[in-house]
Amino acid sequence: MSDTTYLDWPFFQPHHAALARSLDAWATQQVPQAHAADVDAACRALVRSLGQAGWLRHAVAGTAHGGATEVIDTRAICLIRETLARHSGLADFAFAMQGLGSGAISLAGSPAQRAHYLPRVAAGQAIAAFALSEPEAGSDVAAMQCSARVDGDHVVLDGEKTWISNGGIADFYVVFARSGEAPGARGISAFIVDADTPGLSIAERIDVIAPHPLARLRFSQCRVPLSQRVGEAGEGFKVAMRTLDVFRTSVAAASLGFARRALDEALARASSRKMFGGVLGDFQLTQAKLAQMATTIDSAALLTYRAAWQRDQGRNVTRAAAMAKLAATEGAQQVIDAAVQIWGGLGVVSEQPVERLYREIRALRIYEGATEVQQLIIGRDLLREQAAAQA
Ligand SMILES: Cc1cc2nc3c(=O)[nH]c(=O)nc-3n(C[C@H](O)[C@H](O)[C@H](O)COP(=O)(O)OP(=O)(O)OC[C@H]3O[C@@H](n4cnc5c(N)ncnc54)[C@H](O)[C@@H]3O)c2cc1C
């Protein structure tokens, strides 16, 4: 493990630091580093081993259902994502999707839904997915068109979802669809759809620059029992936002993991690469780059763990989570770019660690709310606060 002094920050309790240290030791032994040729098989294997080792217990809530804690411990989730991301983007992805895919069930599922799905998610025996985005509804998620029509004691889903992580390998999808109780965001409900439900098909597998299972889903007269609805009718948007409130901060944490790894790689190269009668790190221009990288990482870490701590205190976290995601994802991109520069030509060679990081970080500035969406959330929140103070 590299610099771990941040584990002593007051945001953490002793068990948080212990968790991060023991996961780091486990990941050093158990997590393959290179991008896998068969990403589906690699992802399934990672989910299994994360489950068997007990790490996925932190991705779900409720000790009766295999969870490590009664309520989701955001700081634990963030430390796990940060640690796994430092070792492997796919390992972080496998952990994160078990949490994001089952988050709605942890937060708003019925007792029967929790008992049926969460223990298998926590054990790594069932793979979860979160299906919100559509081809015409990404940032503007309330524009979704996938429809949910009640028919007796079932609901019939019709439409498409795209960019669905774990699409093609998931055992179940939490699907958000327009159920029509009201216009816009108030007319959306969430449903758990098992992968083998007739009418659900994989319309397309999508290849991205940092490979992981990703697909477009098609729902065609897909009948799902009404008992599979998560939360009340028309409450789906709220359920999605509550889930994202937890996992948005964890995207910041994953970015931190990528950035810390990039700084480690940059330091190793700067201190060993011989040039001009010394090593690269002897030059002040290099020292300035390293200083900026470390400062960017610490600022992002402070924002990330403030947001995680704030959520664990039961405080509103919308603005803090948006700031954390904005600063950590954008900052990590800069840190990783600087690491590639320090590595020179080697930095752009396929499968070098910094080259992998360069591809891994890019999507994090887009998903779970692009940078511009985070800016809007923060800006609007500031203005709302100002208006409230003047009222
Ligand atoms: C690798 C990956 C994995 C994903 N996994 C999932 C998943 O598991 N489940 C799921 O439901 N979705 C998933 N997504 C979808 C993701 O959440 C969307 O890509 C994201 O919400 C952006 O939507 P979009 O791609 O349609 O871009 P658009 O909505 O078309 O936005 C394009 C760009 O416009 C800019 N922008 C957005 N809003 C504004 C604004 N108000 N003002 C100015 N500029 C703006 C941003 O830069 C944005 O990147 C994933 C995406 C990727 C790339």
Side-chain angles (χ1 to χ4, degrees):
M1 197 170 202
S2 49
D3 177 17
T4 57
T5 46
Y6 68 98
L7 293 174
D8 299 329
W9 286 354
F11 298 121
F12 302 117
Q13 292 170 353
H15 71 269
H16 289 121
L19 176 76
R21 290 197 172 96
S22 59
L23 174 59
D24 188 63
W26 179 86
T28 304
Q29 298 291 321
Q30 304 291 333
V31 171
Q33 298 254 329
H35 278 155
D38 181 345
V39 79
D40 288 4
C43 200
R44 283 195 185 97
L46 278 164
V47 171
R48 254 195 321 273
S49 66
L50 286 164
Q52 279 164 1
W55 305 114
L56 291 178
R57 291 168 50 240
H58 297 274
V60 306
T63 50
H65 306 308
T69 44
E70 287 310 324
V71 291
I72 285 177
D73 179 340
T74 321
R75 287 166 292 174
I77 286 184
C78 287
L79 284 170
I80 290 173
R81 289 203 63 182
E82 176 177 341
T83 306
L84 290 175
R86 234 183 34 252
H87 287 273
S88 146
L90 197 61
D92 164 56
F93 169 84
F95 175 84
M97 284 316 303
Q98 290 297 91
L100 181 66
S102 67
I105 304 174
S106 278
L107 294 169
S110 68
Q113 290 166 351
R114 289 157 60 87
H116 183 65
Y117 289 97
L118 297 182
R120 290 185 296 136
V121 171
Q125 291 161 355
I127 296 183
F130 177 83
L132 182 68
S133 306
E134 296 183 6
E136 299 304 325
S139 305
D140 183 8
V141 69
M144 75 170 59
Q145 291 180 352
C146 182
S147 66
R149 178 176 53 82
V150 175
D151 181 19
D153 56 0
H154 279 65
V155 69
V156 182
L157 298 176
D158 277 292
E160 286 199 342
K161 292 284 163 185
T162 195
W163 311 116
I164 306 310
S165 296
N166 278 343
I169 69 162
D171 293 289
F172 68 90
Y173 299 83
V174 171
V175 179
F176 297 85
R178 183 157 296 290
S179 43
E181 292 75 16
R186 284 173 293 121
I188 291 168
S189 303
F191 303 92
I192 311 168
V193 184
D194 290 329
D196 58 2
T197 309
L200 163 58
S201 59
I202 305 300
E204 178 192 12
R205 290 296 300 264
I206 305 168
D207 290 331
V208 281
I209 53 176
H212 68 248
L214 195 68
R216 180 161 57 87
L217 314 181
R218 180 168 300 135
F219 297 88
S220 179
Q221 296 280 303
C222 177
R223 291 175 68 81
V224 178
L226 264 177
S227 57
Q228 293 289 81
R229 192 180 64 217
V230 184
E232 297 301 315
E235 297 277 302
F237 191 79
K238 271 194 206 153
V239 170
M241 293 307 121
R242 281 176 66 202
T243 310
L244 289 174
D245 260 356
V246 179
F247 288 94
R248 187 165 278 160
T249 307
S250 81
V251 177
S255 309
L256 267 180
F258 292 139
R260 285 195 203 279
R261 175 66 181 268
L263 179 57
D264 289 348
E265 298 292 344
L267 284 167
R269 185 74 183 155
S271 13
S272 61
R273 173 62 170 158
K274 292 192 176 60
M275 62 168 69
F276 306 113
V279 292
L280 179 56
D282 292 337
F283 302 101
Q284 289 182 339
L285 286 172
T286 311
Q287 292 161 15
K289 272 201 190 74
L290 294 169
Q292 186 57 54
M293 291 162 83
T295 307
T296 301
I297 289 172
D298 270 10
S299 350
L302 285 162
L303 285 173
T304 301
Y305 289 110
R306 176 187 69 166
W309 171 82
Q310 223 168 283
R311 187 182 179 282
D312 287 343
Q313 305 306 304
R315 302 187 193 185
N316 182 295
V317 77
T318 305
R319 190 200 302 178
M323 284 181 170
K325 183 178 186 276
L326 168 64
T329 56
E330 293 291 329
Q333 181 86 62
Q334 290 161 15
V335 169
I336 292 166
D337 189 60
V340 170
Q341 195 71 12
I342 285 173
W343 272 63
L346 262 187
V348 291
V349 172
S350 296
E351 290 304 316
Q352 286 291 342
V354 289
E355 184 272 347
R356 281 207 313 268
L357 292 166
Y358 195 75
R359 288 184 285 125
E360 291 284 5
I361 188 60
R362 191 61 187 84
L364 280 67
R365 292 167 58 205
I366 297 170
Y367 63 58
E368 292 190 40
T371 290
E372 291 79 356
V373 172
Q374 308 307 329
Q375 288 171 322
L376 290 175
I377 292 171
I378 299 163
R380 284 180 188 151
D381 199 50
L382 288 166
L383 288 167
R384 193 167 38 236
E385 195 173 79
Q386 166 79 355
Q390 283 174 347

